[in-house]
Structure formats: C-alpha cells, structure tokens
Amino acid sequence: MTADIQEKTSSNIFLDRELSQLMFNRRVMAQAEDKNISVLERLRYLCIVSSNLDEFFEVRVASLLAAASADGALSEHPALVATLARISTECHLLVKQQYEILNGDVLPHLRQKGVHLVRHNERNEAQQAWVKEYFEREVRPLLTPIGLDPAHPFPQVINKSLNFVVSLTGKDAFGRGTAIAILKAPRVLPRVIRLPDHLSKSGVSFCLLSSVIHAHIGDLFTGREVIAYSQFRVTRDSDLWVDEDEVKNLRQALKGELVGRQFGTSVRLEVAKNCSPELRQFLLDQFALDQSRLYAVDGPVNLVRLTQLIDHVSQPGLFFPLFFPGLPQKVAHADIFCELKKHDILLHHPFQSFQTVIDFVRCAALDPNVVALKQTIYRTGMNSDLMESLIMAARLGKEVTVIVELMARFDEEANINWADKLELAGAQVVYGVVGLKTHAKMALVIRREDGCLHFYAHLGTGNYHPTTTKLYTDFGLLTSRQDLATEVNEVFIHLTSLTKPHTLNHLWLAPFALQNEIIKAIRNEAKIARAGRPGRLIVKVNALVDESVIRALYAASRDGVKIDLIVRGACTLKPGVPGLSDNIRVRSIIGRFLEHSRIYYFRNDLAHDVYLSSADWMSRNLFRRVEVAFPVLDRALKRRVITEGLNPYLKDNTNAWELTPNGQYQRRKPRGKQALFSAQQYLMLTLGTSDAALS
C-alpha cells in the first residue's frame, strides 16, 4: 500500500455498506417504474424489493442492533446510532416510493389490462355477497380473536405473519371492558383470492385475505363495537445461532433452532396507514420498538404475497416474452463423458440450460463404470432432480459423499431434509467445517476406465438449484482435465477429513489463499503498469466490501491500471476520486435476470487470466466461508467468458447504472445516435431462444 493511501485511510475512503445495499433496492425499484416493462413483471420487482427489505431487516439491521446490545445500551454506540438513523431514513423513503408506484401506477395499469385487485370498499353487491360467504365458510372457522386481559396476555406473534389489532368499546361477555383484541390471520389460507369470473365485468378479479377480514372484522365481536383496527406485521431477527464448539450434532441442534427463528428479537413493525396513533403506540410498546422502526404503509403490509396474484394470471402480454435456454451443440445428442474427454464444456446460465449439469450427475448415477460421486450443496430447494440422482446413485451402491451446508440462510430446513434422505439411501453426509459455511459449488465423478480411475468435475458460480438456475446468471465448467479435477478431489478430502489440503496449483481456496491470490493478481497488474505496459482488470461480482482488496484496487488505480468493476449489489469502493481511484469505474446491471456470476479477469501481459468463482469480494467470503475460484484454461472458453460475461456488460446502456464517488448511481443512457444495447437481451438472442428471436 502506498503512503498516500495509508494517509487517506484516516478519512472516509469507503462508502457505507448498508446504504449501498439499499441503493441496490432503489435500482430494482426503478425497474418497477419502467413503463417499457410488462406490468406484472413490474409488480414482481416491487415484490422483490419487499423480499429484499425483509432480509435486510432480519439480518443486517438485526446484526447492528445485536452488536450494540452485546456490550451496552444502543445510546453508548453513537456510530451505530447514526448508521441506524441513516438506514431508517432511507428505508422509509424506499417504502413510501414503493407504495406510491403500486397504487399510482402498477395497479391502475393492471386494471386497464383487465386484472383487478378489488378492495373491500370497491366491491359491488354480488362480490360483497360472495366474499361474505367465503369468509363464513373458509375464514371465520379458522380465526381465534384474543381479547387481552391478565388471563389472555399479548400472544406470540410469528415473524412476518399477518395479524390485526382491534380497539373495542363496550363490555365483554363477563362485564369487563377489555379494550384491545389481537387476531392472527391463518397461515394455511391463501393471501390472494381469485373471485369467480362471472363476478368480474372484464378480465379477472382478486381480493386479499386481509381485505376479506377487514370487511367482516366486526362480525367477530358480538355485542361489541369495533372503533379502530389495523393489520400489522412484525419483522424479527432471523439469523440462526448455535454454539458450534458445544454441539455434538449440528443437524439436530439446527432443527431445534429453526423453531426459535420465528420469535427472534423484533426489529421492524408495519401497520396500515390509517392505524390510529393509540394502536401504533400500543404495538410499539409490545414489541419494544421506537418510532423509527414503525412503517405505516398505504396497502397490504406484506407486498411479497402479491406474487400469488402474478402466479394466478396467465394473460399474455403481461409478462416478459417467453425464453427457452439453449443447449451446447456439442452435448445436445452426445455421451457427456466422451465429449468431456475431447474438450471442456462451458455453460452460461440461464441462457444455456442447466439440464446439462443434471444430465451429467444422472448419467454418472446410472453408469456402471462410475464408482463414486462427490458434491457440495448450498441451496437446492425442496424439489431437485439432481438430488434425486445422488440418492439413486447411493442406492445403486456407488460411493456418494455430499457436503450439505446446513447454515445456508433460509434454506436450512430444506437442506436438513435432503441430508436425512441422503443418509437413508446410504450416502455419506457431512456438514462442512465448523465455523465456516461451505459455499463452493463443486461436483466430482470418479469413473473406472481402462483399469484406472478417471476424474470428471463440475465447477460453478451458482447453486445447484432448479429454480434459480432459470433466473440467475451463472457460469459452470465441466472438465475432465486431470490436473484440475484432482485438485477438486483434494478439496473434497480436505472438507471431509479436515486435514490440510495438498498444494493447489490451479484452485484458489478460501479461507486460506483466495484473498492473497486476488491481491497478488491485482498487484501484478500494478507492477505491469508501472513498467509502462497496459495494466487491465475487469471484475464481476455481487458485492465488493473487503477493505484490503479495495485498498489494493486503489493502489493499482494510482499506478495506472484500468479497472472496470461490475458489481450488482453493495459496493463500498469510491470510484473516480482524484488521486485515489481515477482509473476505476463501477457499474451495476439490473435486468430481467439476477446477475450472479463472479468473474475475475487479469490481462497479465496478454495471458488473459480468467477465474470463475462462487465468492464475492467480501470478508465473509474470503475468510468465513469455504470458497473456490477456478481458472478457465481452454483458450476458446476463456474468450467466451470475456465476450459473454464481461464485454456485453461494459457495453450495456439500457440496464446499466454507474456509481458516482458520493455513493449515488446514475442510469447510463445511449449517447448521441448510439443504439440501445442490453447485455441480457443480447445473450438471450445469441445463446437461447425467445419469442423475440422466433418472431
């Protein structure tokens, strides 16, 4: 590090991580505002923002509050207080804008297209009658109002559940003046209800469960008058914690912790906009929250649930055009092991189908010459053909070893279930390394050929998840290069035996070497630039917040290295600061698919080193996870990564946002007569098949 940069470290050379993450949600919300996007997709973007904010509060805000409470009152941590205040201001603005887009633009546009979300005061007589009958038949029998008194204390409220607080007048059946009641909406009921088609004058009509309960809440309190009520929702700390030094079986310990997640510390309260001040304060007191954690919203308190409406509509023209991923021509009708002996196969998802990877594992499970399969699992969902293939392989007597990451946030239950099924089938299941999450994406097949064992490997940047592989951009490499595949096996042995891995010549492994190798490669570009030759670095990651890596990038910039960073989410590096980061540009791409691939490119005097990885440039990935960065060694495939994964994203002037030194993002637009260019659209047309390509 140069003396100048060391001197600058005392000043603010990093952007705020939390605010940077919230800026990402602003960019997602801009998609919901974009009238060029189909209206139900715009609604989906609003739901994504809600889901992102839920996790932000459950994890980031909760961790900040926990850090303060661990060693004193919040008031004793002025820096944390200031950070939380900035977060509160930004989140309130985000939520306000979110509901303005919903009510002022998206819902009216949906009505024009024949999709009606009918509130209780908008329903005609026939619709009112149907809703009343539905309430009496399906809803009321499941409701259990609780009138609060010493024998009926405030009930446990589950994380993110829909509830109602009701203010009553008069006396109860026992002559007492219980003034407040709490009502929980049954979780088994759908939140979005489709009305019969004959009740809609045009198109389709829906109502929300909250609206059904609102319309008939007075019917639940015979002899009492409801004078005020509001829906409400509380968000809780949802990070799981187990004492990994004490537990003997991590899976059993986590099963117990999953129940407690629903009742963690309260961090946010959402109520309806018309909730009375008295009821607001009552709820804040119950959940021990201050006014800054209160969000009064003009609509349903959980917009994520509106994805159910999207799922119920099939009307053409309201969604993105259909897209069908392509298949690599070389494996479309070929034996995958024969093909891999000839050449590596690079897959670019979702533009190319993940089915090739599923076929790779299934063929290995059925192949009598395959003797062993090994795989890491971070996220795979409740239903997975790939996991079923591993179970089948174990039942057929093959040696199957699966490293299941039980601490994958919000996928713990699914992973525990798969671990149980795998063990019952005879697979060997381990849970990675205590204290570290196994985030690397690796699969290994060991096949007996001509009396010898031959290794085939899959390495990827994304999860083995059947749903996200259709929605996230990722790269995967299938290879039979023995020098690379044997190193994959070394990592598996390291993870199962906990012994030190042998020297790895190709793979960069966290937490041991990944950060050092990244910084070493950055410094090599700086050395090249100081010698008067072009230094060039392009990186594509989800997040960039590791301070040591950022300082290395600053130093390289000062030495003349041209640096382009494509960072989807949080980025705490300040680009374009004179004397610090003049040669660094940062952009974020927000489009139809979630950008998820991690690519590290170093020019290295025309060697053009390309690494793909599961790791973002964050301290957690570099030091608190098992991660792998792997090289693309085939020259043609290396060129593909550059021309598909990097160059189009640097050219994009449709979905690209450029980061300014003050932490704000500006949407990039075509200059002059420059044509519109979308990286994702280009890749869809080039690698896959879409309606647009067929027309």
Side-chain angles (χ1 to χ4, degrees), residues 189-246:
L189 292 178
R191 293 297 187 262
V192 178
I193 302 155
R194 180 167 177 165
L195 300 177
D197 289 347
H198 70 273
L199 297 180
S200 183
K201 291 182 178 179
S202 62
V204 292
S205 295
F206 300 89
C207 65
L208 300 179
L209 177 63
S210 56
S211 174
V212 172
I213 295 175
H214 276 173
H216 300 283
I217 201 164
D219 299 343
L220 300 170
F221 302 95
T222 306
R224 309 289 299 276
E225 181 185 354
V226 174
I227 58 173
Y229 61 90
S230 174
Q231 56 180 303
F232 73 89
R233 178 176 182 255
V234 66
T235 311
R236 299 182 179 274
D237 181 345
S238 293
D239 241 1
L240 294 181
W241 183 87
V242 293
D243 188 343
E244 294 175 323
D245 293 328
E246 296 293 330

Side-chain angles (χ1 to χ4, degrees), residues 174-186:
F174 304 95
R176 295 171 297 194
T178 51
I180 301 289
I182 302 296
L183 178 66
K184 182 181 78 171

Side-chain angles (χ1 to χ4, degrees), residues 32 97 122 145 175 193 317 340 378 407 409 419 450 520 546 577 600:
Q97 182 185 3
E122 299 172 339
I193 302 155
L340 287 175
Y378 190 75
M407 298 292 284
R409 187 180 292 128
D450 301 323
K520 180 181 174 182
D546 183 77
V577 177
Y600 317 154

Side-chain angles (χ1 to χ4, degrees), residues 399-453:
E399 294 296 323
V400 177
T401 302
V402 186
I403 299 169
V404 179
E405 180 47 68
L406 296 183
M407 298 292 284
R409 187 180 292 128
F410 304 124
D411 277 88
E412 298 93 347
E413 185 176 357
N415 288 1
I416 288 171
N417 291 338
W418 282 120
D420 289 340
K421 291 178 181 179
L422 285 161
E423 283 193 341
L424 286 173
Q428 183 168 278
V429 180
V430 296
Y431 311 125
V433 182
V434 172
L436 302 174
K437 289 185 179 181
T438 302
H439 193 248
K441 324 298 183 188
M442 308 181 299
L444 185 73
V445 171
I446 304 176
R447 192 171 188 259
R448 191 175 297 282
E449 299 173 358
D450 301 323
C452 300
L453 295 180

Side-chain angles (χ1 to χ4, degrees), residues 57 65 74 81 84-85 87-89 91-92 267-269 284 289-295:
F57 277 95
L65 292 169
L74 187 60
V81 170
L84 287 166
I87 288 172
S88 176
T89 299
C91 285
H92 278 90
V267 294
R268 175 182 60 168
L269 174 66
L284 287 172
L289 296 171
D290 60 43
Q291 287 285 340
S292 68
R293 314 273 169 72
L294 175 69
Y295 291 78

Side-chain angles (χ1 to χ4, degrees), residues 300-366:
V301 293
N302 186 356
L303 288 189
V304 179
R305 295 289 195 168
L306 288 183
T307 55
Q308 293 180 12
L309 185 151
I310 299 170
D311 295 337
H312 281 306
V313 177
S314 57
Q315 188 174 328
L318 302 185
F319 299 92
F320 285 127
L322 289 176
F323 169 72
F324 304 96
L327 276 175
Q329 291 182 357
K330 294 177 181 178
V331 295
H333 304 287
D335 182 302
I336 195 164
F337 296 117
C338 289
E339 288 300 316
L340 287 175
K341 286 179 186 176
K342 302 174 189 175
H343 51 76
D344 291 352
I345 295 171
L346 182 74
L347 298 166
H348 194 177
H349 313 301
F351 313 107
Q352 291 178 307
S353 175
F354 190 73
Q355 187 63 41
T356 303
V357 181
I358 296 172
D359 291 343
F360 170 69
V361 177
R362 186 176 65 238
C363 288
L366 295 171

